[in-house]
Amino acid sequence: MKVAIASDHGGFILKEYLLNHYKKQNVILEDLGTYSEESCDYPLIADTLCRYVLNKQCDLGILICGTGIGISIAANRHKGIRAALLYDNEVAHLAREHNNANVVVFGGRTQKKEDVVRYLDTFLDASFEGGRHQRRIDELDKVGE
Ligand code: RB5
């Protein structure tokens, strides 16, 4: 599975931690920036990563800002993106089983790095259940037009 990751300055430290952690597990995350703690704008970061997901350049995207909220809002404005802020273990597996999230989101200033790794591993170990959940996902692209 090809996974890309991006953050604003508020998520930079957590992004660097995840890159290092998963490299040790032989999982390579493609780093789409930002590349320092210098202030930058999360909508643009979300846009870069979401286009990458929508163009099938990766199978899953990880986005991080300070709280995970701004970058979630930005990501979910892209038709076809299902971005889920993972904040506990139950949510982490349901985000895959029910929502088939193609972007997972974290808060670099609000979440502990060990928890984030646990939620991400839980998400990756889960599988989409399809069925009624696929119908609801299909409906997502029709609402709000
Ligand atoms: C940046 O200071 C901060 O506002 C951003 O990282 C994020 O938390 C927005 O929701």
Side-chain angles (χ1 to χ4, degrees):
M1 183 185 231
K2 198 172 165 200
V3 184
I5 186 167
S7 76
D8 74 353
H9 55 290
F12 176 73
I13 291 172
L14 178 59
K15 174 171 70 68
E16 296 304 299
Y17 175 82
L18 293 177
L19 286 167
N20 190 43
H21 173 86
Y22 283 99
K23 194 172 168 186
K24 286 186 194 148
Q25 324 267 325
N26 289 323
V27 178
I28 304 297
L29 307 179
E30 190 168 353
D31 186 2
L32 302 184
T34 188
Y35 301 108
S36 76
E37 287 187 85
E38 194 179 321
S39 182
C40 62
D41 296 339
Y42 62 80
L44 306 181
I45 299 288
D47 189 50
T48 299
L49 182 122
C50 289
R51 287 173 192 273
Y52 215 71
V53 172
L54 292 170
N55 290 334
K56 301 194 189 312
Q57 289 164 279
C58 65
D59 306 299
L60 175 73
I62 302 171
L63 281 173
I64 312 168
C65 67
T67 59
I69 294 175
I71 214 156
S72 295
I73 296 169
N76 279 314
R77 290 194 174 191
H78 295 75
K79 190 172 181 175
I81 291 295
R82 297 177 301 282
L85 178 53
L86 306 187
Y87 55 85
D88 74 18
N89 228 39
E90 171 86 353
V91 164
H93 69 78
L94 288 174
R96 190 120 200 228
E97 291 168 2
H98 289 193
N99 308 111
N100 201 19
N102 50 11
V103 174
V104 294
V105 184
F106 299 105
R109 293 173 177 158
T110 54
Q111 292 184 284
K112 293 188 186 129
K113 55 188 186 319
E114 298 80 9
D115 289 341
V116 167
V117 166
R118 193 155 49 88
Y119 304 154
L120 193 47
D121 288 342
T122 297
F123 178 87
L124 292 170
D125 285 345
S127 305
F128 179 49
E129 289 178 358
R132 68 187 188 283
H133 302 298
Q134 182 61 57
R135 185 183 70 241
R136 291 164 187 165
I137 283 172
D138 293 341
E139 286 167 359
L140 283 173
D141 289 335
K142 295 177 200 144
V143 296
E145 283 185 343

Short mmCIF file of all heavy atoms in Angstrom, two decimals, residues 110-138:
data_model
loop_
_atom_site.label_atom_id
_atom_site.label_comp_id
_atom_site.label_asym_id
_atom_site.label_seq_id
_atom_site.Cartn_x
_atom_site.Cartn_y
_atom_site.Cartn_z
N THR A 110 -2.45 18.23 19.63
CA THR A 110 -3.52 17.79 20.52
C THR A 110 -3.48 16.29 20.80
O THR A 110 -4.25 15.80 21.64
CB THR A 110 -4.90 18.12 19.91
OG1 THR A 110 -4.95 17.56 18.59
CG2 THR A 110 -5.12 19.62 19.82
N GLN A 111 -2.64 15.56 20.08
CA GLN A 111 -2.62 14.10 20.25
C GLN A 111 -1.21 13.62 20.59
O GLN A 111 -0.22 14.18 20.10
CB GLN A 111 -3.12 13.43 18.96
CG GLN A 111 -4.60 13.70 18.70
CD GLN A 111 -5.11 12.93 17.48
OE1 GLN A 111 -4.84 13.31 16.34
NE2 GLN A 111 -5.84 11.86 17.72
N LYS A 112 -1.18 12.54 21.40
CA LYS A 112 0.12 11.95 21.75
C LYS A 112 0.59 11.07 20.60
O LYS A 112 -0.21 10.32 20.02
CB LYS A 112 -0.03 11.09 23.01
CG LYS A 112 -0.34 11.88 24.26
CD LYS A 112 -0.26 10.95 25.46
CE LYS A 112 -0.72 11.67 26.71
NZ LYS A 112 -1.73 10.96 27.47
N LYS A 113 1.88 11.12 20.33
CA LYS A 113 2.39 10.39 19.16
C LYS A 113 2.17 8.89 19.28
O LYS A 113 1.85 8.22 18.30
CB LYS A 113 3.86 10.73 18.87
CG LYS A 113 4.83 10.55 20.01
CD LYS A 113 6.18 11.11 19.61
CE LYS A 113 7.31 10.88 20.57
NZ LYS A 113 7.06 11.04 22.00
N GLU A 114 2.27 8.34 20.49
CA GLU A 114 2.05 6.88 20.67
C GLU A 114 0.60 6.53 20.34
O GLU A 114 0.32 5.47 19.78
CB GLU A 114 2.35 6.45 22.11
CG GLU A 114 3.78 6.68 22.58
CD GLU A 114 4.07 8.11 23.00
OE1 GLU A 114 3.13 8.93 23.11
OE2 GLU A 114 5.26 8.42 23.21
N ASP A 115 -0.34 7.40 20.71
CA ASP A 115 -1.76 7.15 20.39
C ASP A 115 -1.98 7.19 18.89
O ASP A 115 -2.70 6.37 18.32
CB ASP A 115 -2.65 8.21 21.06
CG ASP A 115 -2.73 8.04 22.56
OD1 ASP A 115 -2.40 6.93 23.06
OD2 ASP A 115 -3.10 9.01 23.24
N VAL A 116 -1.34 8.16 18.24
CA VAL A 116 -1.50 8.30 16.79
C VAL A 116 -1.02 7.04 16.08
O VAL A 116 -1.70 6.52 15.18
CB VAL A 116 -0.73 9.56 16.29
CG1 VAL A 116 -0.60 9.55 14.77
CG2 VAL A 116 -1.42 10.82 16.77
N VAL A 117 0.11 6.49 16.49
CA VAL A 117 0.63 5.26 15.88
C VAL A 117 -0.37 4.12 16.10
O VAL A 117 -0.65 3.34 15.18
CB VAL A 117 2.02 4.91 16.47
CG1 VAL A 117 2.42 3.48 16.12
CG2 VAL A 117 3.06 5.89 15.97
N ARG A 118 -0.93 4.04 17.29
CA ARG A 118 -1.91 2.98 17.60
C ARG A 118 -3.14 3.11 16.71
O ARG A 118 -3.62 2.14 16.13
CB ARG A 118 -2.30 3.07 19.09
CG ARG A 118 -3.04 1.88 19.64
CD ARG A 118 -2.85 1.78 21.15
NE ARG A 118 -3.09 3.06 21.81
CZ ARG A 118 -4.27 3.47 22.24
NH1 ARG A 118 -5.33 2.71 22.07
NH2 ARG A 118 -4.39 4.65 22.84
N TYR A 119 -3.66 4.32 16.56
CA TYR A 119 -4.86 4.53 15.73
C TYR A 119 -4.56 4.21 14.27
O TYR A 119 -5.38 3.60 13.57
CB TYR A 119 -5.37 5.97 15.84
CG TYR A 119 -5.67 6.45 17.24
CD1 TYR A 119 -5.62 7.81 17.56
CD2 TYR A 119 -5.99 5.55 18.26
CE1 TYR A 119 -5.88 8.26 18.84
CE2 TYR A 119 -6.26 6.00 19.55
CZ TYR A 119 -6.19 7.36 19.83
OH TYR A 119 -6.44 7.81 21.10
N LEU A 120 -3.38 4.62 13.82
CA LEU A 120 -3.02 4.38 12.43
C LEU A 120 -2.87 2.88 12.16
O LEU A 120 -3.37 2.36 11.16
CB LEU A 120 -1.73 5.14 12.11
CG LEU A 120 -1.32 5.29 10.66
CD1 LEU A 120 -2.47 5.75 9.77
CD2 LEU A 120 -0.16 6.28 10.56
N ASP A 121 -2.23 2.17 13.07
CA ASP A 121 -2.07 0.71 12.91
C ASP A 121 -3.43 0.03 12.94
O ASP A 121 -3.69 -0.89 12.15
CB ASP A 121 -1.18 0.14 14.02
CG ASP A 121 0.29 0.52 13.83
OD1 ASP A 121 0.66 0.92 12.71
OD2 ASP A 121 1.06 0.42 14.81
N THR A 122 -4.32 0.48 13.81
CA THR A 122 -5.67 -0.09 13.88
C THR A 122 -6.40 0.13 12.56
O THR A 122 -7.03 -0.78 12.01
CB THR A 122 -6.47 0.55 15.03
OG1 THR A 122 -5.80 0.23 16.25
CG2 THR A 122 -7.90 0.05 15.08
N PHE A 123 -6.32 1.34 12.04
CA PHE A 123 -6.96 1.67 10.76
C PHE A 123 -6.42 0.75 9.65
O PHE A 123 -7.19 0.17 8.88
CB PHE A 123 -6.72 3.14 10.41
CG PHE A 123 -7.31 3.56 9.09
CD1 PHE A 123 -8.62 4.00 9.00
CD2 PHE A 123 -6.56 3.48 7.93
CE1 PHE A 123 -9.17 4.35 7.77
CE2 PHE A 123 -7.10 3.83 6.70
CZ PHE A 123 -8.40 4.27 6.63
N LEU A 124 -5.10 0.62 9.59
CA LEU A 124 -4.48 -0.15 8.50
C LEU A 124 -4.81 -1.64 8.59
O LEU A 124 -4.90 -2.32 7.58
CB LEU A 124 -2.96 0.06 8.51
CG LEU A 124 -2.50 1.46 8.13
CD1 LEU A 124 -1.01 1.64 8.40
CD2 LEU A 124 -2.83 1.79 6.68
N ASP A 125 -5.03 -2.14 9.81
CA ASP A 125 -5.37 -3.57 10.00
C ASP A 125 -6.84 -3.86 9.70
O ASP A 125 -7.21 -5.03 9.56
CB ASP A 125 -5.08 -4.00 11.45
CG ASP A 125 -3.58 -4.17 11.69
OD1 ASP A 125 -2.85 -4.23 10.69
OD2 ASP A 125 -3.17 -4.20 12.86
N ALA A 126 -7.67 -2.85 9.66
CA ALA A 126 -9.11 -3.05 9.44
C ALA A 126 -9.40 -3.15 7.94
O ALA A 126 -8.55 -2.83 7.10
CB ALA A 126 -9.90 -1.89 10.06
N SER A 127 -10.62 -3.60 7.61
CA SER A 127 -11.02 -3.70 6.20
C SER A 127 -12.40 -3.08 6.00
O SER A 127 -13.26 -3.18 6.89
CB SER A 127 -11.13 -5.17 5.77
OG SER A 127 -9.95 -5.85 6.02
N PHE A 128 -12.61 -2.50 4.84
CA PHE A 128 -13.90 -1.92 4.50
C PHE A 128 -14.95 -3.04 4.41
O PHE A 128 -14.70 -4.09 3.80
CB PHE A 128 -13.79 -1.17 3.18
CG PHE A 128 -15.08 -0.53 2.71
CD1 PHE A 128 -15.83 0.25 3.57
CD2 PHE A 128 -15.52 -0.71 1.41
CE1 PHE A 128 -17.02 0.84 3.15
CE2 PHE A 128 -16.69 -0.11 0.97
CZ PHE A 128 -17.44 0.65 1.84
N GLU A 129 -16.12 -2.80 5.00
CA GLU A 129 -17.17 -3.83 5.03
C GLU A 129 -18.08 -3.82 3.80
O GLU A 129 -18.83 -4.78 3.58
CB GLU A 129 -18.02 -3.67 6.30
CG GLU A 129 -17.28 -4.07 7.56
CD GLU A 129 -18.11 -3.86 8.81
OE1 GLU A 129 -19.26 -3.36 8.72
OE2 GLU A 129 -17.58 -4.16 9.90
N GLY A 130 -18.08 -2.74 3.03
CA GLY A 130 -18.92 -2.67 1.82
C GLY A 130 -20.41 -2.69 2.16
O GLY A 130 -20.83 -2.17 3.19
N GLY A 131 -21.23 -3.28 1.26
CA GLY A 131 -22.67 -3.40 1.50
C GLY A 131 -23.33 -2.04 1.69
O GLY A 131 -23.15 -1.13 0.88
N ARG A 132 -24.10 -1.91 2.77
CA ARG A 132 -24.83 -0.65 3.02
C ARG A 132 -23.88 0.54 3.16
O ARG A 132 -24.23 1.68 2.85
CB ARG A 132 -25.73 -0.78 4.25
CG ARG A 132 -25.00 -0.88 5.56
CD ARG A 132 -25.95 -1.17 6.72
NE ARG A 132 -25.31 -1.09 8.02
CZ ARG A 132 -24.52 -2.04 8.54
NH1 ARG A 132 -24.26 -3.14 7.86
NH2 ARG A 132 -23.98 -1.88 9.73
N HIS A 133 -22.65 0.26 3.57
CA HIS A 133 -21.69 1.35 3.73
C HIS A 133 -21.23 1.88 2.36
O HIS A 133 -20.98 3.07 2.21
CB HIS A 133 -20.49 0.89 4.57
CG HIS A 133 -20.90 0.41 5.92
ND1 HIS A 133 -21.52 1.24 6.84
CD2 HIS A 133 -20.86 -0.82 6.49
CE1 HIS A 133 -21.80 0.54 7.92
NE2 HIS A 133 -21.42 -0.71 7.75
N GLN A 134 -21.14 0.98 1.39
CA GLN A 134 -20.79 1.43 0.03
C GLN A 134 -21.91 2.32 -0.51
O GLN A 134 -21.64 3.35 -1.15
CB GLN A 134 -20.58 0.23 -0.90
CG GLN A 134 -20.15 0.63 -2.30
CD GLN A 134 -18.83 1.39 -2.32
OE1 GLN A 134 -17.81 0.89 -1.85
NE2 GLN A 134 -18.82 2.61 -2.87
N ARG A 135 -23.17 1.93 -0.26
CA ARG A 135 -24.30 2.76 -0.73
C ARG A 135 -24.20 4.17 -0.15
O ARG A 135 -24.37 5.16 -0.86
CB ARG A 135 -25.62 2.09 -0.32
CG ARG A 135 -26.85 2.81 -0.88
CD ARG A 135 -28.14 2.19 -0.42
NE ARG A 135 -28.39 2.42 1.00
CZ ARG A 135 -28.52 1.47 1.91
NH1 ARG A 135 -28.42 0.20 1.57
NH2 ARG A 135 -28.75 1.78 3.19
N ARG A 136 -23.89 4.25 1.14
CA ARG A 136 -23.81 5.56 1.79
C ARG A 136 -22.63 6.38 1.26
O ARG A 136 -22.73 7.61 1.11
CB ARG A 136 -23.69 5.36 3.31
CG ARG A 136 -25.00 4.83 3.86
CD ARG A 136 -24.87 4.25 5.25
NE ARG A 136 -26.13 3.62 5.65
CZ ARG A 136 -26.26 2.79 6.67
NH1 ARG A 136 -25.21 2.48 7.42
NH2 ARG A 136 -27.42 2.27 6.97
N ILE A 137 -21.54 5.70 0.99
CA ILE A 137 -20.38 6.41 0.41
C ILE A 137 -20.73 6.95 -0.97
O ILE A 137 -20.39 8.09 -1.31
CB ILE A 137 -19.16 5.45 0.37
CG1 ILE A 137 -18.58 5.35 1.78
CG2 ILE A 137 -18.10 5.93 -0.61
CD1 ILE A 137 -17.50 4.32 1.94
N ASP A 138 -21.46 6.15 -1.74
CA ASP A 138 -21.88 6.62 -3.08
C ASP A 138 -22.78 7.86 -2.94
O ASP A 138 -22.71 8.78 -3.76
CB ASP A 138 -22.62 5.51 -3.83
CG ASP A 138 -21.70 4.35 -4.20
OD1 ASP A 138 -20.48 4.53 -4.19
OD2 ASP A 138 -22.22 3.24 -4.46
#
